[in-house]
Amino acid sequence: GTGDWYIVVNLGEMTINTGVTIKNTVPAQTSDTALINGCDHQLFPGDVLNGYAPATDAQMTINGGTFTSGLFVVKNGDWYAQMIINGGTFSAMNSHVNGCTLSNANNCPMTVNGGTFTAVGDTPVVKCKDKSDYFGKGTGTGLNITGGTFTQTGAGDAIQTLTKDGITAPAPILTISGGTFTGTLNAKIQDGTTVNTNRLTYILTTNYTIASGTALAISPNVTVVIPSGVTVTNNGTLTVT
């Protein structure tokens, strides 16, 4: 597609396998989204914050394929959404918009077991954000990454949590037990400067290795907690500021 907003919208149950290509023809110049799973804020099929409630969650499984767009490549949520990604190639190509390669909203359940995720310019690769409480038929467990390669080709964020200033909704949940990351680990406040520190803390629950040839930086906005018994092994480049 040429990109207007969403190329593929899933409100039911969808499985995407190897061999599928979903892309914008000019991704570096447009602000489109390749895939969205679930109810989007105020657009369709109804506004959850004003009482809309579908009978079931949208469920999407991606086993492979190639996905390219400008703004968001894959978005899970805002609400009533569950997603599993087992593989595929995902590329966000517009460096001039506030998008990301992989977006998870309001702690909708999402698991990434594999795949290659890339973003250019200052676009983050992974973004977890909160606009409201979790709404859905499952459990608001957020994003769980067990594998995959996540590369920010510029000086931007490999992982970013984003929260609105003063919001009282639960903080974004992000669990990482595997995967390879190149970029910055960061947390940002949208529409304000008030910092709620529980939204800026990453707790490592399993051993983690920074792979050879990769570079991970930790933003000064972020606190990383390494509990007793958990180790971080650096075989690449680790920068803490």
Side-chain angles (χ1 to χ4, degrees):
T2 57
D4 221 340
W5 194 241
Y6 301 114
I7 298 174
V8 174
V9 177
N10 178 50
L11 298 174
E13 185 173 345
M14 178 182 291
T15 299
I16 300 175
N17 293 315
T18 301
V20 171
T21 297
I22 300 174
K23 64 180 296 185
N24 184 280
T25 55
V26 284
Q29 302 173 27
T30 56
S31 299
D32 62 325
T33 299
L35 298 171
I36 181 171
N37 183 56
C39 298
D40 181 62
H41 180 53
Q42 295 182 338
L43 291 181
F44 57 81
D47 185 358
V48 170
L49 297 183
N50 286 329
Y52 175 81
T56 60
D57 285 353
Q59 299 193 39
M60 178 180 288
T61 301
I62 301 176
N63 295 316
T66 302
F67 310 89
T68 307
S69 67
L71 183 58
F72 297 98
V73 181
V74 176
K75 180 181 179 182
N76 189 48
D78 295 317
W79 306 285
Y80 291 96
Q82 301 184 39
M83 180 180 287
I84 298 173
I85 299 178
N86 294 315
T89 301
F90 307 82
S91 304
M93 302 303 294
N94 190 340
S95 61
H96 306 294
V97 295
N98 188 26
C100 62
T101 308
L102 183 66
S103 172
N104 196 54
N106 304 320
N107 291 325
C108 288
M110 183 179 197
T111 299
V112 177
N113 298 314
T116 301
F117 304 83
T118 305
V120 301
D122 58 0
T123 300
V125 183
V126 177
K127 181 185 290 185
C128 297
K129 57 185 179 180
D130 56 354
K131 297 179 179 178
S132 73
D133 292 328
Y134 167 73
F135 290 94
K137 302 297 184 179
T139 304
T141 51
L143 175 59
N144 178 30
I145 298 175
T146 69
T149 301
F150 305 82
T151 304
Q152 216 298 328
T153 62
D157 300 335
I159 306 172
Q160 180 187 109
T161 58
L162 181 66
T163 186
K164 287 193 174 183
D165 184 29
I167 196 169
T168 59
I173 299 173
L174 173 62
T175 303
I176 299 173
S177 58
T180 300
F181 300 87
T182 299
T184 300
L185 181 65
N186 201 0
K188 292 187 175 182
I189 305 296
Q190 181 179 351
D191 302 329
T193 57
T194 302
V195 175
N196 185 345
T197 55
N198 73 332
R199 301 174 188 277
L200 309 178
T201 300
Y202 292 81
I203 301 176
L204 297 179
T205 57
T206 60
N207 296 340
Y208 187 76
T209 299
I210 300 171
S212 176
T214 66
L216 181 66
I218 299 176
S219 164
N221 294 333
V222 172
T223 298
V224 177
V225 178
I226 304 174
S228 176
V230 174
T231 62
V232 175
T233 302
N234 179 29
N235 293 328
T237 301
L238 174 62
T239 303
V240 180
T241 56

